[in-house]
Amino acid sequence: HDGRELKIEGYKAYRSFYARTHYSYREDRIHEGRFAEWAETVLRLPKALVLGGYREGRLHAVSVAYWVEQTLGYSTFFRDTDALREGVNELMFHTIREIGAGIPQIGEVLGRPYQGGNGMDRYYMLRGCKIARRPAFLTISPLARFALRSWSPDRYAMLCGRH
């Protein structure tokens, strides 16, 4: 599988998603070559699960999840405007949960980090998700800690488990 469909049709869906949301994380993917590099990287990962949402034989939505130990992490989801109108997000999230439930070695599906009760948090909680606190080991250089605490205290608090 060379990923041609993800690189071409997935890119179209991503461009539509970006035009609608101006999503800033990994903004470099708005460039076709960078999107293709991202797609190749994802497809090479042995425990990456890439799902496509199709309508009339054409890819309109992409979900990516990563299997780490007993957790399936729902990492990436984007869809074009038509797929959004048709509610593909419900189908894709349900499919990820169904896959997680069907693999005995997977004990949980991680939807996303809690963001303080915003709309997306409510979206997931209304669909049966629970807020789970997990201890983490965080190592950060003193300079990075100072910068993060100074310019983005909310993000720093999230990293430290205080939100």
Side-chain angles (χ1 to χ4, degrees), residues 28 30 32 37 44 58 105 118-119 121 134 139 160:
D28 62 318
I30 63 170
E32 192 169 7
E37 289 173 12
R44 277 195 309 264
R58 191 174 144 251
Q105 297 88 345
N118 67 15
D121 289 340
R134 299 285 192 276
T139 301
C160 295

Side-chain angles (χ1 to χ4, degrees), residues 76-117:
T76 303
F77 175 60
F78 55 88
R79 67 274 188 214
D80 66 21
T81 302
D82 291 337
L84 174 65
R85 286 187 191 117
E86 297 200 11
V88 73
N89 48 326
E90 298 289 338
L91 177 63
M92 300 293 269
F93 185 56
H94 176 75
T95 302
I96 290 288
R97 291 175 61 186
E98 205 170 54
I99 289 169
I103 300 173
Q105 297 88 345
I106 294 177
E108 63 185 357
V109 175
L110 173 64
R112 60 181 244 135
Y114 181 69
Q115 301 285 316

Side-chain angles (χ1 to χ4, degrees), residues 17-139:
F17 165 76
Y18 184 81
R20 193 176 59 253
T21 65
H22 300 287
Y23 185 64
S24 62
Y25 178 72
R26 291 290 319 266
E27 197 171 5
D28 62 318
R29 291 181 289 192
I30 63 170
H31 305 291
E32 192 169 7
R34 297 295 286 173
F35 184 89
E37 289 173 12
W38 170 81
E40 287 173 11
T41 300
V42 168
L43 292 171
R44 277 195 309 264
L45 297 172
K47 289 196 171 185
L49 175 65
V50 181
L51 300 178
Y54 292 82
R55 181 169 184 236
E56 297 176 2
R58 191 174 144 251
L59 182 65
H60 288 266
V62 175
S63 287
V64 180
Y66 299 99
W67 183 1
V68 179
E69 295 179 1
Q70 66 259 22
T71 301
L72 186 61
Y74 193 32
S75 171
T76 303
F77 175 60
F78 55 88
R79 67 274 188 214
D80 66 21
T81 302
D82 291 337
L84 174 65
R85 286 187 191 117
E86 297 200 11
V88 73
N89 48 326
E90 298 289 338
L91 177 63
M92 300 293 269
F93 185 56
H94 176 75
T95 302
I96 290 288
R97 291 175 61 186
E98 205 170 54
I99 289 169
I103 300 173
Q105 297 88 345
I106 294 177
E108 63 185 357
V109 175
L110 173 64
R112 60 181 244 135
Y114 181 69
Q115 301 285 316
N118 67 15
M120 287 304 296
D121 289 340
R122 287 188 297 277
Y123 170 87
Y124 284 105
M125 287 186 278
L126 286 171
R127 283 147 186 86
C129 296
K130 297 177 182 133
I131 297 172
R133 292 187 183 262
R134 299 285 192 276
F137 181 76
L138 174 66
T139 301

